[in-house]
């Protein structure tokens, strides 16, 4: 119910952003939105400036993590971590949107296990067997026994370049990979940037708003939702990178500003000509605008180190 309410609010600005942006041009991102109807929602002299921002704040509140959901996910996370650690005999880290607290109500939980090189991929069948056995043992409990706290089901294995074990615990999907140190670093990098930007977590609120539009409201303008790497759509990391670009390129004072610039940037981007793969480079220092004394250093491969 909350999702439907959130989508209806966001859709007001979306219709203008997409409709104008697609026909506006195919060049580089503009300073300002370049259209009087779009600027109407962003300029302080606009009569609806405060009202629409108040509506957007309510949308962000609807899709933001709440205390009850956080506690429920923490319990699921601890339960799965215990099962994985019992198999790999090493620590397991939380990564992705749950680690950064920038997750939507129906987002999954991402874990990465630190597996010894000598184990290779042996951990995969061992973990699948352990999870299946735990789920079956819980189902076999008698009526006179204590109720099961965690309902584990739908254990699956995805045989890709990155070995992935999936399961559903208490209706929350959990994805488990191995040795994704980069994902740990990226989560800490995004959290550090959010703290550096400040303004009541402006960065995280903007990321949540853009995620919510892509996941719930985009279907009013495109054939299917834009968010979801499992269906060959935008990844959460990719979307976060796009929002970081907007913060680095434009003046953002409210999540609505980030969403409006997201429309303009995406619609004006000729993806076939400008999209490319990121390859390892020597150390490059990039200054993050708006964050004094903050540099991002790209070192070997995709390792990210924040220097404050």
């Amino acid at each position: 119910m909350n999702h439907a309410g959130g989508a209806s609010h966001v859709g007001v600005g979306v219709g203008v952003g997409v409709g104008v942006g697609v026909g506006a041009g195919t060049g580089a991102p503009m300073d300002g939105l370049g259209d009087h109807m779009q600027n109407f929602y962003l300029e302080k002299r606009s009569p609806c400036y405060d009202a629409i921002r108040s509506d957007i704040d309510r949308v962000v509140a609807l899709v933001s993590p709440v205390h009850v959901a956080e506690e429920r996910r923490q319990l699921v996370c601890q339960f799965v971590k215990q099962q994985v650690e019992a198999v790999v005999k090493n620590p397991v880290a939380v990564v992705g949107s749950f680690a950064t607290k920038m997750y939507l109500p129906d987002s999954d939980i991402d874990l990465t296990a630190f597996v010894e090189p000598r184990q290779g991929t042996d951990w995969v069948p061992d973990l699948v067997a352990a999870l299946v056995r735990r789920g079956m043992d819980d189902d076999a409990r008698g009526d006179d026994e204590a109720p099961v706290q965690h309902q584990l089901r739908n254990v699956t294995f995805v045989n890709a370049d990155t070995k992935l074990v999936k399961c559903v615990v208490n209706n929350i999907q959990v994805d488990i990979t191995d040795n994704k140190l980069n994902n740990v670093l990226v989560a800490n990098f995004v959290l550090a940037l959010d703290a550096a930007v400040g303004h009541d977590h402006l960065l995280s609120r903007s990321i949540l708003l853009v995620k919510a539009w892509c996941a719930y409201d985009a279907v009013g303008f495109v054939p299917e939702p834009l968010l979801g790497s499992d269906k060959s759509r935008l990844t959460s990391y990719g979307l976060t990178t796009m929002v970081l670009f907007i913060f680095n390129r434009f003046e953002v004072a409210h999540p609505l500003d980030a969403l409006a610039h997201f429309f303009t940037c995406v619609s004006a981007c000729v993806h076939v000509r400008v999209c490319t793969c990121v390859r390892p480079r020597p150390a490059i220092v990039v200054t993050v605008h708006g964050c004094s004394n903050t540099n991002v250093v790209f070192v070997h491969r995709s390792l990210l180190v924040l220097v404050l």
Side-chain angles (χ1 to χ4, degrees):
M1 295 298 293
N2 286 353
H3 293 174
S8 63
H9 284 292
V10 180
V12 175
V14 167
V16 176
V18 173
V20 175
V22 171
T26 57
M30 298 173 288
D31 287 318
L33 296 180
D35 181 88
H36 69 282
M37 282 304 295
Q38 293 184 24
N39 287 332
F40 179 75
Y41 292 99
L42 299 182
E43 293 180 356
K44 290 186 177 181
R45 62 188 179 188
S46 167
C48 67
Y49 182 87
D50 292 328
I52 195 169
R53 274 158 179 71
S54 178
D55 286 344
I56 291 297
D57 288 338
R58 284 198 292 271
V59 172
V60 174
L62 286 172
V63 299
S64 296
V66 295
H67 183 67
V68 174
E70 180 70 17
E71 284 188 335
R72 180 167 169 259
R73 285 172 173 265
Q74 285 286 3
L75 290 173
V76 169
C77 187
Q78 290 303 319
F79 169 74
V80 179
K81 283 179 68 176
Q82 290 172 5
Q83 311 308 309
V84 179
E85 287 172 351
V87 171
V88 301
K89 311 300 183 185
N90 273 319
V92 176
V94 184
V95 295
S97 59
F98 185 59
T100 60
K101 308 308 175 190
M102 301 177 192
Y103 59 89
L104 296 175
D106 55 356
S107 295
D108 56 13
I109 295 175
D110 296 302
L111 303 176
T112 188
F114 295 102
V115 180
E116 297 287 348
R118 57 183 173 79
Q119 288 183 265
T121 58
D122 292 345
W123 69 275
V124 175
D126 293 344
L127 178 59
V128 170
L131 292 175
V132 170
R133 187 163 50 249
R134 177 58 187 262
M136 294 179 68
D137 289 345
D138 289 342
D139 285 343
R141 283 172 176 256
D143 294 336
D144 56 338
E145 297 183 76
V148 176
Q149 184 179 9
H150 301 290
Q151 184 185 35
L152 196 158
R153 57 187 176 85
N154 294 8
V155 179
T156 57
F157 163 57
V158 179
N159 189 18
D161 290 339
T162 298
K163 307 305 178 188
L164 177 65
V165 176
K166 293 173 172 279
C167 64
V168 176
V169 179
N170 297 349
N171 294 324
I172 298 174
Q173 180 172 302
V174 183
D175 292 351
I176 307 152
T177 56
D178 68 321
N179 296 329
K180 294 300 177 185
L181 175 61
N182 286 349
N183 292 1
V184 178
L185 296 171
V186 168
N188 283 279
F189 170 72
V190 174
L191 284 172
L193 278 183
D194 183 50
V197 171
H199 299 289
D200 192 24
H201 299 286
L202 176 60
L203 177 61
S204 64
R205 289 187 291 124
S206 299
I207 290 173
L208 278 169
L209 180 62
V210 175
K211 275 187 178 181
W213 182 84
C214 289
Y216 309 133
D217 206 39
V219 289
F221 307 92
V222 292
E224 58 185 19
L226 298 178
L227 190 63
S229 58
D230 57 333
K231 298 178 177 64
S232 300
R233 301 168 186 162
L234 276 174
T235 65
S236 180
Y237 281 134
L239 197 63
T240 298
T241 302
M242 296 167 78
V243 175
L244 290 178
F245 165 78
I246 289 168
F247 269 75
N248 208 36
R249 179 69 171 81
F250 301 104
E251 198 70 36
V252 177
H254 189 273
L256 178 61
D257 301 336
L259 182 66
H261 287 301
F262 175 80
F263 293 149
T264 302
C265 290
V266 173
S267 64
C269 178
V270 185
H271 298 82
V272 176
R273 291 209 303 263
V274 302
C275 288
T276 186
C277 295
V278 178
R279 290 182 169 82
R281 298 284 185 185
I284 302 173
V285 178
V286 181
T287 301
V288 180
H289 297 325
C291 304
S292 58
N293 301 322
T294 303
N295 288 329
V296 182
V297 182
F298 292 78
V299 294
H300 181 61
R301 296 191 179 275
S302 57
L303 188 64
L304 296 173
V305 179
L306 186 69
V307 182
L308 297 176

